[in-house]
Amino acid sequence: MLHKKLKVRFNSIPSVNKAFTLIEILIALVIISLATTALMSAISSTITQIEYLNDKTKAHFVAQNLLTSLQLNLLDMKLANGKMHGTRKLGLRNWYWTITVKTKALENLANVEIFNIKVDVAKADNKNKVIDSVTSYAPIYKN
């Protein structure tokens, strides 16, 4: 008798659908694709900046090495007004450099001239696009 009273009817419980609809899945995919696109764009921009800074650092090394060679008279160039150019290899790349020298006499001191030495460095395959430029000044005392 007791089991007759506890009879449960399963058909009377309303069914609840717990699956995602197609629209919900499509919206989730759109959100994921937008987030992935933004992330890939940020990564691409970072890689481009790293490559640029790597090139700029190496070009600066080339310019500093040329100035040091010039100051130690290791570079066959007489300091006078004019230009000199050439290539150097650093970091598996050839670098095109140009040294420009300008002379300026000091008004207050008759026996001293200042050389303005400017070194421009570019990639050898694109000589017109200067990556780094270094300027130095050297006093020259005349007798």
Side-chain angles (χ1 to χ4, degrees):
M1 285 246 217
L2 186 60
H3 80 285
K4 287 185 182 181
K5 288 183 180 179
L6 295 176
K7 221 180 204 187
V8 178
R9 295 167 87 195
F10 289 106
N11 292 340
S12 65
I13 298 174
S15 66
V16 177
N17 191 0
K18 295 186 179 184
F20 291 110
T21 64
L22 181 61
I23 302 245
E24 291 171 333
I25 291 174
L26 288 176
I27 290 172
L29 286 174
V30 166
I31 292 171
I32 290 172
S33 67
L34 288 175
T36 305
T37 303
L39 180 64
M40 292 305 291
S41 175
I43 289 172
S44 174
S45 175
T46 302
I47 289 172
T48 302
Q49 289 298 319
I50 287 171
E51 288 175 357
Y52 170 76
L53 290 174
N54 186 24
D55 288 344
K56 186 153 180 75
T57 301
K58 289 179 182 174
H60 191 73
F61 286 160
V62 170
Q64 289 292 336
N65 287 340
L66 286 167
L67 279 175
T68 302
S69 297
L70 195 61
Q71 290 169 348
L72 295 175
N73 291 327
L74 299 176
L75 200 59
D76 187 25
M77 178 181 182
K78 296 193 182 339
L79 285 178
N81 287 335
K83 282 189 173 186
M84 181 179 182
H85 58 86
T87 59
R88 286 256 169 119
K89 186 167 185 150
L90 179 70
L92 302 175
R93 175 171 289 164
N94 288 322
W95 298 92
Y96 178 79
W97 53 266
T98 304
I99 297 176
T100 307
V101 178
K102 294 180 183 174
T103 307
K104 181 177 180 180
L106 294 178
E107 296 174 7
N108 298 339
L109 300 170
N111 61 345
V112 177
E113 285 185 344
I114 297 291
F115 287 114
N116 178 356
I117 306 164
K118 182 178 178 189
V119 180
D120 295 324
V121 181
K123 293 179 185 177
D125 55 354
N126 190 1
K127 297 177 183 179
N128 295 329
K129 185 178 178 186
V130 174
I131 295 177
D132 193 42
S133 182
V134 176
T135 302
S136 179
Y137 300 93
I140 302 296
Y141 301 98
K142 296 190 250 178
N143 293 335

